[in-house]
Structures are given as structure tokens and as C-alpha cells.
Amino acid sequence: MDFFTAVYEASVLFVETLSQLRRIYFYRRQIVEQFYSLAVTTLPIASIIAVFLGLGSTVQATYQTSSLTPRYFAANVIFKTLIIEGTPIVLGLVLAGKIGGSLAAEIGSMKISEQIDALQSLSIDPVGFLVMPRVIAGLIMVPIITIYANLVAMFSSFFMSTVILNWITPDEYISGMRMNFKVFEMYFGNIIKPSLCGLIIAFIGSFFGLRAKGGAKGVGIASTTAVVVSAVIVVILDYFTGELLL
Amino acid sequence: MIEIKGVWKYFEGKEVLRGINLKIEDGMTTVVLGPSGQGKTVLLKNIIGLYKPERGEIIADGISLNGLKKRELFELRKKFAFIFQGSALFDFLTVDENIALYLRMHTKMSKEEIEKKVKNVLKVVGMEGTEQLYPEELSGGMKKRVAIARAVVFSPKYILYDEPTTGLDRENARVVNALINRLKREYGVTSIVVTHDIDCMETVADRVVLLKEGRIIFMGKKEEVKESHLDYLYEMEEGK
Ligand SMILES: Nc1ncnc2c1ncn2[C@@H]1O[C@H](COP(=O)(O)OP(=O)(O)OP(=O)(O)O)[C@@H](O)[C@H]1O
Ligand SMILES: [Mg+2]
């Protein structure tokens, strides 16, 4: 498929989405619905992933740490890797599948069953009614879910290393977290990266949904393409934001 | 009045509409008859600007669709309702939300007023009591009637029907045809019906247009349509 046509069309849609922002109040109901549906569909999976990310990274850290390294230092590594890199990227990829795939399927099936045309025929702009609310929800809800996941992951790591493994005392663990603490890193891992991911995942999902054509097969193609493309962009974005901002 | 002037439409180099000239008179039902794949849906979608013709223009109530800004086109579309081939009800909304959507988005009506209107049009189409159902819970004929309710709720001047009876059994087709006639009689709606259903044409048409391979091969009053005009319809249906 023509890569450049797609990039051009995506840019056009993006500009349209931005221009619909001035009608945020008009579409408030759709936006609230998207916030709700995003939270409900992603919280369970985010919880499971966060718990096991915390456990997994703790097991790794305790295993890799020799008797020569101070243990609070290992706690520091767990804390920083999880918040800045681990949770955001794993969650970003999972949500690329979850949100990107389901948005593309949802909007794609509306496209092939002429529901998008039906919106237009009722003088309702599909970009304002469908795309903009989803993009806003992605932009705001993904960071919130990431903050939640980071909290859960840290707690599960803390619990694992202090109570279950009894490998470090709570005081030591906390002083490890405080070591070399930078506020910007917290913004970076909890807000900046996730909001970019959320925006891109929701936008790409909507974009491929709107391009779907040719029946159920077309919807399937739109959905897988959206997942692959947004996952790739999430990984690339992860590198560049780190490179530029840290 | 809608004027269609020399409209050509291509898709990927394929000519679908080849110079359509047609006037739609107010207060009448014009039936465009043609077999499958002849560009009937494409013609209707050009009329409300969902597709843009490569050549020619559409003029609705004196306003040419060519070169209209999106906002102006949306304004003009408020005169039109479109009944899609597959009904195209919004599957994430219930029946009453489907019907209320236009009023909610474009008018300042209160919740109660909207509710009343929705009840009213559901009665017109004989679907009382289905307010809380989702489209997936409806049969094809019921969906069609809800689609008609969604269309008439904002009192459009024009209603465009895309194969309103296709896929329906005789009884449902009869109900839908009767509705088309009733909307013309009671609300003075101007309708364009595209179909390959000759029964439907005979029941609702004031004027008939025969479409073949993107061209109009006959145009006239229903009484003027002769058996011979329709031969190609049967031939093409059998040829498939
Ligand atoms: N969006 C599109 N992209 C490419 N080709 C299209 C598109 N829409 C319609 N066509 C082509 O235009 C031709 C006419 O299509 P149209 O849907 O208008 O037929 P129709 O008369 O409505 O037939 P049916 O009775 O099956 O609905 C078909 O050959 C179709 O392949
Ligand atoms: Mg058609």
C-alpha cells in the first residue's frame, strides 16, 4: 500500500482532529463515554501486568545483585527502571494491542456498515464525534493508567522484597527509592511518555478504522495493521523521548 | 427541487455514472430503477455530497454542492435524510438514542421534548415499545423502520431511500412501501427511491427513471413505463 498516501491522509486526519478540539464542549458527552470505556477495558489488564512487572523485576534484581552491592542500590535500580522504562513501554505495547485494535475494529465496522456515512448524512462530523473524543481519552487516560500501574508495580516489588523474600528492610528499600530522586523523571515516565503513547495509539486505531473497506475481512486487516503500526511507533517513540528529554 | 446536471463519477478509472441529467420535482416520489451494480447507491451519495462527482454538478434548492465548504454542506444536508441499504443504525446506541441523536446534536430541545418526538415517530413507523432495544436485537424489517424513524424525526424536505425493500419479506416490504407513500401524503416529503424491486416502483413511484450502466435510458411518469422497458432488468437479473 502506498506509504506516502497513508502518511498524507493521516496528517490530514490529524489536522482535522486538532481543529475539532474547539468543539470539545459540544462533544463532551462522547468524550466522557470514551474516558469511561477506556478505563473499564484497560484497568484489569493493567493491574495484572503491573503486579507481575513488579515481581519480575524484583526477582531479577535480587538474583543479579552480588553480596558486594548494597541492597538499597538494587531497590533504586528497580524503582527507576520500572517508572521510567519498564511500566510505560510494556503498558504502551499492551495498550497498542488492546486500545488500537479495538478502536480500529469498532470504527472499521462502522465504516463498512455505512454508519460513518450515516453520521455524515445527519450532519455530524465523524472526526468530531468519533475520533477526537477517543484521542483525548487516550491522551489523558493512558497516563492515569500508567501512574496507577507504576504504583501497583512498586508496591508489588516492595512487598516481594521486604515481606516474601525478606531480602531488604522496608527502610532500606525506601531510602533506595529516594536515592538520586529526580522529579522530572517522574513526569517523564508517568505523564510525558504515556500521554504521547495514548495519543498515538488512539489516533492510529481511529485512522485505520476509518480507512477500512470491503467487509469483515477489511475490518480484520484494519485492526491488525493498527496494532502493528502503533506498537512500532510506541517503541520508536520510547527511544526518541528518552534520547531527547533525559 | 434537486437538479442533477451532467454528473460523471469514476472509481479507480471505472466509469460508474456517465452523464446523469435529472430533475427531482418537489412533492413527488422519483424511483430510480436499475439492476445491481449500476451506480444507484453512488448516485444517491453524490446527491448529499458523500461522494463528489468528477464532472457535472448537483444543485439542491438553487445551491450548487460543488465548492461548498464542509460547514455549508452540513447545513444543506439538514434538508436531507438518507435511508441506507443496510439501515446503518448506530450499533452502540439504543433505538431511541439512534432517533434522538440528530435532535440532541443540532437542536436545543429539552430531554422531555426529544423523548416525546421519538415516541411520536416510533408510532408513525409502528415500532412503539422498542425504545430500549439495541439494533442487533431487531429484525431487518424493524431496522428499516427505525431507520425511517431516525430520518423523519427532523422533518427533512427530502428523503433518499437506498433499496428500501431489498432483503425484506413481502409483508415488511409492503409496510415500508406504505410508509414511503404516507410520508409523501402527510408530510409532503420529496423522495428519491433507488431500487431494483419492480413492486416497490409500482407502489410508490410518481416518476420513474431507468438506469443502465451509468446512463439514464428512460424517464417518465409511472404510467408511461412499458413492459419492454423493464425487459433488461429481468435479463440482467437472470444473467447473474
Ligand atoms: N467507494 C467505492 N470505491 C470503489 N468503487 C466503488 C465504490 N462505491 C461503488 N463502487 C463501484 O461502483 C459501482 C456501482 O456501485 P453501487 O453501489 O452504486 O451499485 P448499486 O447500483 O447500488 O448496486 P446494488 O444494487 O448492489 O446496491 C460498483 O461496480 C462498485 O464496485
Ligand atoms: Mg446499492
Side-chain angles (χ1 to χ4, degrees):
Chain A
M1 177 200 49
D2 310 345
F3 175 73
F4 291 105
T5 327
V7 172
Y8 171 74
E9 285 173 7
S11 322
V12 171
L13 180 65
F14 193 70
V15 172
E16 270 181 58
T17 310
L18 289 181
S19 82
Q20 287 297 324
L21 285 178
R22 71 203 145 82
R23 312 200 69 196
I24 255 183
Y25 183 73
F26 185 70
Y27 291 115
R28 61 193 179 284
R29 187 168 167 160
Q30 281 67 41
I31 295 174
V32 172
E33 281 168 7
Q34 287 310 311
F35 272 76
Y36 177 75
S37 110
L38 225 160
V40 170
T41 53
T42 54
L43 272 182
I45 193 164
S47 313
I48 296 173
I49 286 173
V51 168
F52 283 93
L53 272 178
L55 298 182
S57 51
T58 307
V59 169
Q60 281 301 319
T62 52
Y63 169 72
Q64 302 285 354
T65 320
S66 74
S67 53
L68 298 174
T69 1
R71 293 189 169 175
Y72 67 89
F73 190 77
N76 179 264
V77 171
I78 297 175
F79 177 62
K80 290 210 168 181
T81 16
L82 275 180
I83 304 273
I84 299 173
E85 184 68 22
T87 315
I89 185 98
V90 173
L91 211 55
L93 288 172
V94 170
L95 295 186
K98 180 75 191 139
I99 304 174
S102 68
L103 287 190
E106 183 189 5
I107 295 183
S109 72
M110 291 183 71
K111 174 74 189 299
I112 61 155
S113 61
E114 295 186 303
Q115 291 176 54
I116 304 285
D117 284 340
L119 279 176
Q120 300 251 28
S121 79
L122 295 172
S123 300
I124 297 170
D125 193 323
V127 179
F129 188 79
L130 298 171
V131 181
M132 186 268 281
R134 283 163 175 75
V135 170
I136 300 261
L139 181 78
I140 293 172
M141 284 310 285
V142 172
I144 292 176
I145 293 161
T146 309
I147 292 170
Y148 160 78
N150 268 329
L151 286 172
V152 172
M154 284 320 298
F155 185 77
S156 81
S157 162
F158 180 78
F159 189 73
M160 179 78 171
S161 40
T162 57
V163 178
I164 298 183
L165 298 178
N166 206 0
W167 168 75
I168 188 173
T169 66
D171 282 348
E172 262 187 301
Y173 193 100
I174 289 168
S175 67
M177 282 168 56
R178 283 191 174 153
M179 201 173 88
N180 195 18
F181 183 86
K182 292 197 186 97
V183 176
F184 180 72
E185 290 177 351
M186 295 300 110
Y187 284 122
F188 180 76
N190 280 310
I191 296 173
I192 300 176
K193 234 158 48 167
S195 46
L196 282 172
C197 279
L199 175 110
I200 282 171
I201 291 168
F203 177 76
I204 297 282
S206 309
F207 173 69
F208 283 102
L210 284 178
R211 278 169 65 100
K213 57 178 166 201
K217 195 173 165 211
V219 177
I221 294 173
S223 177
T224 38
T225 319
V227 173
V228 172
V229 172
S230 47
V232 170
I233 297 182
V234 163
V235 178
I236 296 176
L237 190 86
D238 183 74
Y239 163 72
F240 278 106
T241 47
E243 181 71 36
L244 293 174
L245 295 176
L246 287 183
Chain B
M1 189 172 70
I2 305 168
E3 291 170 83
I4 301 165
K5 287 188 172 169
V7 163
W8 288 72
K9 179 71 197 168
Y10 316 128
F11 280 110
E12 289 136 19
K14 188 173 148 226
E15 297 170 347
V16 177
L17 300 179
R18 309 177 187 192
I20 303 282
N21 285 295
L22 185 60
K23 272 191 186 144
I24 308 292
E25 309 280 352
D26 285 356
M28 298 234 228
T29 299
T30 305
V31 172
V32 179
L33 201 60
S36 208
Q38 303 296 297
K40 300 188 299 293
T41 301
V42 171
L43 176 63
L44 282 191
K45 288 190 177 175
N46 270 286
I47 294 175
I48 61 163
L50 285 174
Y51 292 146
K52 299 225 164 1
E54 262 70 45
R55 272 193 272 162
E57 65 176 340
I58 314 269
I59 302 171
D61 291 342
I63 301 173
S64 167
L65 264 64
N66 286 3
L68 278 193
K69 295 205 187 69
K70 194 160 96 179
R71 195 154 33 86
E72 298 164 329
L73 186 60
F74 273 24
E75 228 16 73
L76 188 65
R77 271 193 199 139
K78 292 181 179 173
K79 291 187 180 177
F80 289 86
F82 200 120
I83 314 290
F84 289 86
Q85 206 162 339
S87 298
L89 298 179
F90 303 118
D91 47 24
F92 54 96
L93 298 178
T94 55
V95 166
D96 60 349
E97 290 168 338
N98 260 282
I99 301 172
L101 188 64
Y102 181 97
L103 302 177
R104 252 178 42 207
M105 303 300 280
H106 297 302
T107 69
K108 294 209 155 38
M109 283 184 174
S110 70
K111 244 184 144 152
E112 292 71 34
E113 286 173 290
I114 292 181
E115 219 168 276
K116 226 174 109 194
K117 271 215 112 158
V118 170
K119 273 217 146 54
N120 231 330
V121 290
L122 275 174
K123 210 161 148 196
V124 171
V125 299
M127 291 283 290
E128 303 100 316
T130 57
E131 284 88 345
Q132 300 307 317
L133 299 181
Y134 279 91
E136 63 188 20
E137 300 171 88
L138 304 177
S139 72
M142 293 161 97
K143 278 188 195 155
K144 200 63 107 194
R145 285 192 265 165
V146 173
I148 294 175
R150 182 173 74 179
V152 295
V153 76
F154 60 96
S155 317
K157 178 171 178 194
Y158 302 102
I159 302 186
L160 315 185
Y161 298 87
D162 192 359
E163 311 222 13
T165 55
T166 303
L168 302 185
D169 58 53
R170 271 177 175 281
E171 179 51 25
N172 271 306
R174 200 190 54 75
V175 170
V176 168
N177 287 338
L179 260 175
I180 297 176
N181 282 334
R182 180 166 166 208
L183 294 177
K184 178 179 73 174
R185 225 174 32 241
E186 288 178 19
Y187 301 87
V189 174
T190 306
S191 300
I192 307 176
V193 179
V194 308
T195 187
H196 58 230
D197 175 358
I198 295 173
D199 280 347
C200 169
M201 182 272 281
E202 283 175 342
T203 324
V204 304
D206 296 309
R207 292 179 74 241
V208 176
V209 173
L210 296 184
L211 196 68
K212 186 184 184 185
E213 286 159 10
R215 289 202 178 86
I216 292 176
I217 56 163
F218 169 86
M219 197 170 0
K221 295 208 189 79
K222 178 166 65 179
E223 298 73 38
E224 296 163 8
V225 181
K226 298 196 186 68
E227 267 309 301
S228 61
H229 286 130
L230 302 176
D231 282 350
Y232 86 97
L233 266 180
Y234 298 119
E235 279 163 26
M236 297 197 59
E237 295 289 306
E238 279 159 18
K240 274 198 309 182

